[in-house]
Amino acid sequence: METGAFREITPLQENDFMYVADRRKKEFDYPIHYHETMELNFVENAKGSRRIVGDSSELVGDYDLVLITSSDLEHVWEQYECKSEDIHEVTVQFYIDFENEHTPFHTNPYKSIYEMMMRAKCGLAFPQQAIMTVYPRITGLSKIKESFLMAQELFMILYELSKFDDARQLSSSSFAKVHVESDSRRVLKVKNFIDTHYHEDIRLAQLADMVGMTPSAFSRFFKLRTGKNVAEYIVDVRLGYATRRLVDTTDSVSEISYYCGFNTLSNFNRLFRKRKGCSPTEFRDYYMKTKIIV
């Protein structure tokens, strides 16, 4: 069975840079989708709605702001428990070749924006303070008539947002099919090994030996650099690949469980529900219900 989320065809033409849709509505009715353009999506007065980005599913509060820079990361905002009849949504779709080393994004003035755009390949949710900082700019974008000034305003918004280090990555990198990165060569070496061998039995001593450290020293070092202990990180990677297979294949839950390195099906189900808030079967059923093939 072929599966795939709805591929949105955006209004941007060959020489266009950005598109802004500022709308008031009573409900979210667009299906789960992806598109080639990058997207900054602001939602106001939609408390109780649910935002899905990759394998992340969260309820939205009074304000929500998410940046997605991957061209194939599925996402949707859905009604769920939202009772508001005056939802305000501003969607900005744009294209920037920020990974091209010949663009200004690899120079110092753009460093913080570049780093934010790289993180946003997995979807990036901004904290309340960041949202309030750029609120006047986002809600005023559609009122700007000159395209040059609108583009400059978008860069100002991105710059202001790039100052907030506490923006949260949403989807796991393994689900989003994003290459792992780190400012530490030792951590990167271990992450790459885990990303390649996630379906095998991985021991802390084995990873520590790879980078010439004792297991206890490496465990502290890894936690300091990543914010997670080694076991948590391995589980997150395995669950990311598992959710990707739940979406993209017809393999059974037990087959996926063992393929992704979980010892038992019960352990897989327990960890999946703990991290994702639902069972693997419920996750698959939801994605299949909301997918549209075109």
Side-chain angles (χ1 to χ4, degrees), residues 56 58 118-120 122-125 166-173:
S56 165
E58 297 179 347
M118 290 296 291
R119 291 185 63 207
C122 293
L124 211 55
D166 52 346
R168 293 183 298 107
Q169 180 176 303
L170 295 174
S171 178
S172 64
S173 58

Side-chain angles (χ1 to χ4, degrees), residues 30-267:
Y30 205 72
I32 194 163
H33 62 283
Y34 65 96
H35 40 71
E36 292 183 358
T37 57
M38 300 168 189
E39 180 173 294
L40 182 65
N41 203 59
F42 165 77
V43 176
E44 179 182 13
N45 197 27
K47 186 175 183 179
S49 59
R50 178 162 60 180
R51 181 219 319 119
I52 294 175
V53 177
D55 56 349
S56 165
S57 175
E58 297 179 347
L59 293 185
V60 168
D62 293 322
Y63 300 93
D64 192 44
L65 181 61
V66 169
L67 175 65
I68 299 172
T69 59
S70 171
S71 62
D72 58 2
L73 183 60
E74 303 94 332
H75 56 279
V76 70
W77 276 254
E78 63 169 18
Q79 199 69 17
Y80 200 55
E81 299 174 352
C82 178
K83 305 299 182 184
S84 173
E85 294 190 355
D86 184 28
I87 299 168
H88 184 201
E89 184 175 42
V90 181
T91 302
V92 185
Q93 294 183 344
F94 59 99
Y95 180 73
I96 298 175
D97 188 9
F98 66 94
E99 293 188 78
N100 187 329
E101 62 181 11
H102 299 297
T103 66
F105 290 94
H106 285 262
T107 62
N108 287 332
Y110 290 89
K111 182 179 179 181
S112 63
I113 296 179
Y114 172 79
E115 291 174 348
M116 177 184 68
M117 301 284 269
M118 290 296 291
R119 291 185 63 207
K121 285 185 174 184
C122 293
L124 211 55
F126 294 94
Q128 182 80 3
Q129 185 180 357
I131 297 173
M132 292 299 99
T133 298
V134 300
Y135 180 88
R137 293 183 180 276
I138 287 180
T139 55
L141 261 180
S142 64
K143 300 178 179 66
I144 301 175
K145 303 304 180 183
E146 294 186 36
S147 59
F148 175 81
L149 296 179
M150 182 181 285
Q152 294 305 304
E153 188 70 354
L154 174 61
F155 279 111
M156 285 302 301
I157 291 170
L158 294 176
Y159 173 67
E160 291 295 337
L161 292 176
S162 71
K163 297 177 183 179
F164 291 87
D165 296 330
D166 52 346
R168 293 183 298 107
Q169 180 176 303
L170 295 174
S171 178
S172 64
S173 58
S174 44
F175 183 94
K177 295 177 282 190
V178 171
H179 294 299
V180 295
E181 295 188 358
S182 175
D183 58 355
S184 165
R185 291 183 180 179
R186 285 179 289 188
V187 168
L188 183 58
K189 183 177 182 180
V190 168
K191 282 186 172 183
N192 285 333
F193 180 85
I194 293 171
D195 198 55
T196 304
H197 300 273
Y198 65 91
H199 52 283
E200 302 173 7
D201 183 27
I202 302 175
R203 303 285 182 176
L204 175 61
Q206 175 188 15
L207 300 177
D209 186 60
M210 286 174 53
V211 293
M213 301 175 73
T214 65
S216 59
F218 174 70
S219 182
R220 291 192 298 271
F221 177 76
F222 190 88
K223 179 68 177 290
L224 181 65
R225 290 284 187 169
T226 67
K228 297 179 181 179
N229 64 44
V230 176
E232 289 174 336
Y233 182 80
I234 293 173
V235 167
D236 284 347
V237 170
R238 286 173 172 165
L239 285 177
Y241 278 109
T243 50
R244 188 78 259 175
R245 293 185 72 83
L246 285 167
V247 171
D248 290 345
T249 76
T250 58
D251 294 349
S252 70
V253 172
S254 60
E255 287 174 326
I256 292 172
S257 167
Y258 290 112
Y259 179 87
C260 292
F262 293 94
N263 300 346
T264 65
L265 179 59
S266 60
N267 186 45

